[in-house]
Every structure is written in structure tokens, then in C-alpha cells.
Amino acid sequence: MDQSRQGYKTLAAGIEAVGEFEDRRSRFIAQLAHVESEREAEEFIEKVRARHHDARHNVPAWILSDGRERCSDDGEPSRTAGMPTLDVLRGAGLADVCCVVTRYFGGTLLGPGGLVRAYTAATQAAVADAEDNGNVVEMMLVTPVVCQIPYSAFDRVQHMVAQAGGHVRDTVFAEDVQLTCSFKAGEEEAFVSALTEFANGENLCKVGEPRFGQF
């Protein structure tokens, strides 16, 4: 995944989405969670393995927003389990997520094609569960802007923030008014220019570094 792109989707923190698929009595249970590091991914994988310690396979796949990703077939034939699971996460545009698909063997070999279909279907069902319950969130590249303005300009500047597509996240009333705003990366430039013009050339803004967050 390209960190320079403007956004990605992830699962809401603290949520676990689940999807199931069954084929010839083999049961596949996909468990999907939000993670923000390789350590958190490994912790979730171990949690699922402990939960399903009696299962034949617990197949993990994870993608982070910095571009790192990993998967394992966990004893299934090569590229029949981990890669199909990872491909579903990629195809859904997800990042900072970990999926573990648990397989309880039903006694009948499914063959490579059957395994790919089963792991794909279970993972797709978990992603659909997250989407259907409103647990998929959009992460955008967001730029914070902090402004120090006189009280007399408060209403006007709030309107300018909204006009530029931004949001006021926090307001502190002291000698002046401090507004903490956020803009989609790049859109802050129009606001900063407009406010500088409004202030007769005085720079009233401190622009922060863009970072990924909900907008």
C-alpha cells in the first residue's frame, strides 16, 4: 500500500467482525480486527489460536497502513489459504487490519481450488459483516491547523473554515480565541490564504504535519 495516497479504509477499533463458510463439513471462520502494528497483529493471531486451539488450521493475514503485509498458510497447501485471505483484504481497500481464518476439518479434502474458494468466501463474509454493521471507517490524510484570532473575528473565521471544507475540532477562549481545525490534506491552503488576506497579511495560522485520521 502506498503511504502517499490520500486515504484508506479500516475496521473500527475494538470491533471484531466474523464471517463463516462451510464446504463438505469443513468449517471456515474468519475473524477480522483493527491493528496498528505487527505486535498487535501477532497478539490478535495468538488470541484466535488460543480461542480455537482444537482447530486444524488458524490462517493469518494482515496489512498495515505503512505498506507492510504478511500472511501464512499455517499448514495448508502453499498459496491456498493465506494469500486468498490477504487478497480479499487488499481488494476491499483495507489497511491496519488482521484477519485469522480458522478451519475445522470436516474429513474430506477440498483440493487447492476448493481451499482458495473457502478461505476467500469466509474472509469476504467477515468484511461484509463489518460493512453491514457500519464498522468500516474511512481514514483520510488530514492536516491540522491552529489559529489565534480576536473574538471579533470568531464567527467569520468559523464560516471560512466551513467554506474551505474543514472542521473546527476544538476552541479555547482566552485573551484571543484559539481554533484547532482539520482539513483534508491540501485543502488547508485555501483557508490559510483566505485568513491571511482577511488579517491584512498577518499570518494567524500554524499548520501541522498531515497524518491519517478520521475526517
Side-chain angles (χ1 to χ4, degrees):
M1 178 166 301
D2 183 1
Q3 173 76 344
S4 67
R5 74 185 201 172
Q6 291 296 299
Y8 62 91
K9 292 186 289 184
T10 190
L11 196 66
I15 298 296
E16 186 174 318
V18 179
E20 292 197 30
F21 181 78
E22 192 168 322
D23 186 4
R24 284 163 278 182
R25 298 179 62 188
S26 272
R27 187 178 169 213
F28 299 81
I29 309 164
Q31 297 125 112
L32 179 66
H34 176 83
V35 297
E36 295 185 0
S37 65
E38 185 171 350
R39 179 184 59 80
E40 288 185 13
E42 290 300 329
E43 286 174 354
F44 180 67
I45 292 164
E46 289 307 314
K47 175 182 171 183
V48 173
R49 282 180 175 151
R51 179 191 301 163
H52 296 292
H53 59 86
D54 55 339
R56 176 71 69 91
H57 305 281
N58 284 292
V59 170
W62 52 261
I63 303 178
L64 299 181
S65 57
D66 63 9
R68 286 180 293 162
E69 58 183 31
R70 190 169 299 168
C71 65
S72 166
D73 292 308
D74 194 41
E76 293 280 33
S78 178
R79 301 182 70 83
T80 63
M83 190 57 70
T85 300
L86 186 62
D87 282 343
V88 172
L89 302 181
R90 287 173 177 160
L94 292 168
D96 285 345
V97 291
C98 179
C99 185
V100 183
V101 184
T102 299
R103 181 192 183 187
Y104 285 95
F105 185 54
T108 302
L109 295 175
L110 303 183
L115 288 173
V116 170
R117 284 191 297 273
Y119 280 99
T120 297
T123 308
Q124 286 173 334
V127 172
D129 176 62
E131 291 174 340
D132 292 346
N133 287 291
N135 292 323
V136 174
V137 296
E138 190 82 25
M139 303 294 282
M140 304 294 295
L141 201 55
V142 176
T143 301
V145 178
V146 179
C147 313
Q148 295 285 150
I149 60 173
Y151 278 76
S152 59
F154 179 58
D155 289 340
R156 173 65 180 149
V157 173
Q158 276 193 309
H159 181 65
M160 290 167 67
V161 172
Q163 273 190 318
H167 297 297
V168 176
R169 299 298 186 190
D170 188 41
T171 308
V172 177
F173 296 96
E175 266 187 53
D176 289 324
V177 183
Q178 178 178 288
L179 296 182
T180 300
C181 313
S182 61
F183 297 85
K184 292 179 184 176
E187 293 186 359
E188 78 282 355
E189 295 168 5
F191 167 74
V192 172
S193 295
L195 185 56
T196 301
E197 183 179 343
F198 176 73
N200 297 317
E202 185 180 356
N203 182 14
L204 303 179
C205 298
K206 182 179 179 182
V207 180
E209 289 296 317
R211 61 179 183 269
F212 281 110
Q214 285 181 257
F215 185 73

